[in-house]
Amino acid sequence: MSKKTTQFKTLLNSDQTEFLMEAHDGISARIVEEAGFKGIWGSGLCISAAMGVRDNNEASWTQVLDVLEFMSDASGIPILLDADTGYGNFNNVRRLVRKLEQRGVAAMCIEDKLFPKTNSFIKGEQQPLADVDEFCGKIKAAKDTQHDADFCVVARVEALITGQGLAEALRRATAYRRAGADAILIHSKKSSPDEILAFMKEWRGNSPVVIVPTTYYTTPTSVFSEAGVSVIIWANHLMRASITAMQQAATLINRERSLEPVEHEIATVKEIFRLQNAGELDEAETRYLPGGNTAQGS
Ligand code: SPV
Ligand code: MG
């Protein structure tokens, strides 16, 4: 089995379009892998949401890193961390890259906004963008810092989100590619894919392109494959699915004062044990505990 960094780099440069699914903790990372995805999007929005805080860098970068460590340990597929703006300047980015490599995170995406960031779908037009040269310095610092040659840095262009248009998006993407970015994430909040497809036409495969079709989800993914998109990210859908499921279960149990209506609609306790890999501990106990598997502590 190749390293996770190599797996991610291969996925980014493959001839076909690949898909990443969002995860926000250890169990969701495992669920993404079991569903058959080849990689995980460590969504800033969803990791924040799971902590009950806003997507405004309210969670500290080390708190995010701790979650990433659980996600990486729980899954055998590469993680692309949504590292927001890199949590500071080029120096914070250098330290981040070192810590991500130590914790088995394959790649990171940094966006050209200012710390503390705000989610792109909240007052997108009013958000200031980073200075291009300063952001290029972050990309260079990340690439110079990585020990593993296959660690990937994805540079996210927010010019379309802020309404600055295609020319500005292309100018920024070109500068970020020249600074050493392994791929460009071009983000849009439109319900039509037009501005993404216009970008793809002008970009002409200069480097791999990553997209996040949260708002233009009705477009068949084959359209993006034909346009040359390398990676499609489903950015928040496990968090949204679990919010709906938790709201329904909590409301029903509270209203009925009974578990009966939900018991057969939700995962069993045994399923939790399976996802935690309880079987492995059972087997290890027979090997390592004196007297074999007695299900006892020391
Ligand atoms: C995230 O998942 O945190 C993202 C994608 O950055 S978006 O919410 O569209 O900005
Ligand atoms: Mg984010």
Side-chain angles (χ1 to χ4, degrees):
M1 178 64 107
S2 61
K3 292 177 301 179
K4 287 181 181 176
T5 47
T6 313
Q7 289 172 37
F8 188 80
K9 191 163 196 167
T10 307
L11 180 150
L12 201 54
N13 292 287
S14 116
D15 288 339
Q16 63 195 47
T17 308
E18 305 285 359
F19 297 84
L20 305 185
M21 171 55 88
E22 165 267 317
H24 46 270
D25 56 16
I27 202 163
S28 57
R30 183 157 289 161
I31 287 169
V32 170
E33 180 176 10
E34 284 191 351
F37 285 95
K38 290 190 201 159
I40 293 169
W41 170 244
S43 161
L45 170 65
C46 299
I47 291 170
S48 305
M51 292 176 179
V53 297
R54 289 167 287 221
D55 189 15
N56 294 72
N57 299 120
E58 290 185 341
S60 73
W61 75 277
T62 55
Q63 288 172 325
V64 173
L65 202 61
D66 286 343
V67 174
L68 262 288
E69 184 169 4
F70 281 105
M71 288 168 59
S72 181
D73 287 347
S75 58
I77 53 175
I79 301 172
L80 169 61
L81 169 64
D82 169 12
D84 295 340
T85 59
Y87 315 115
N89 73 1
F90 81 92
N91 192 38
N92 302 90
V93 166
R94 292 196 301 185
R95 191 159 166 77
L96 175 65
V97 170
R98 283 198 294 273
K99 294 294 145 190
L100 292 179
E101 286 195 317
Q102 286 167 9
R103 299 195 189 196
V105 178
M108 70 165 190
C109 176
I110 49 174
E111 64 195 45
D112 57 357
K113 295 204 302 223
L114 304 185
F115 179 91
K117 55 70 62 75
T118 299
N119 187 273
S120 302
F121 298 135
I122 299 176
K123 297 186 207 141
E125 298 80 11
Q126 292 164 33
Q127 295 194 25
L129 292 184
D131 173 78
V132 174
D133 292 336
E134 193 262 343
F135 193 70
C136 286
K138 283 185 184 175
I139 297 168
K140 284 184 197 143
K143 295 307 291 177
D144 287 344
T145 300
Q146 69 186 64
H147 288 299
D148 183 332
D150 289 343
F151 182 86
C152 284
V153 175
V154 178
R156 168 165 160 179
V157 175
E158 291 280 287
L160 300 179
I161 294 286
T162 58
Q164 293 184 38
L166 183 59
E168 180 62 8
L170 287 163
R171 183 178 82 88
R172 285 176 172 268
T174 303
Y176 304 162
R177 180 180 59 76
R178 290 196 180 128
D182 297 281
I184 298 297
L185 189 158
I186 182 73
H187 202 13
S188 166
K189 59 183 169 52
K190 295 259 158 69
S191 57
S192 105
D194 296 354
E195 60 182 14
I196 293 293
L197 295 175
F199 178 90
M200 293 307 296
K201 205 164 158 217
E202 296 296 323
W203 188 245
R204 292 194 204 95
N206 281 336
S207 65
V209 173
V210 181
I211 63 167
V212 186
T214 301
T215 52
Y216 47 98
Y217 64 89
T218 55
T219 307
T221 54
S222 57
V223 171
F224 300 120
S225 297
E226 279 154 29
V229 168
S230 296
V231 173
I232 294 176
I233 294 176
W234 308 126
N236 45 50
H237 301 81
L238 294 194
M239 173 53 75
R240 288 164 59 188
S242 50
I243 286 173
T244 303
M246 288 192 285
Q247 287 170 330
Q248 285 173 354
T251 305
L252 203 54
I253 292 168
N254 187 42
R255 196 179 63 212
E256 302 298 322
R257 298 277 182 268
S258 167
L259 299 177
E260 285 243 40
V262 300
E263 181 59 28
H264 300 289
E265 308 299 323
I266 60 179
T268 60
V269 174
K270 265 193 181 153
E271 176 62 358
I272 303 177
F273 296 153
R274 189 192 68 77
L275 284 163
Q276 291 170 310
N277 205 4
E280 189 279 335
L281 178 56
D282 202 38
E283 194 267 332
E285 282 171 350
T286 55
R287 264 183 295 133
Y288 299 124
L289 278 182
N293 182 349
T294 56
Q296 283 173 22
S298 56

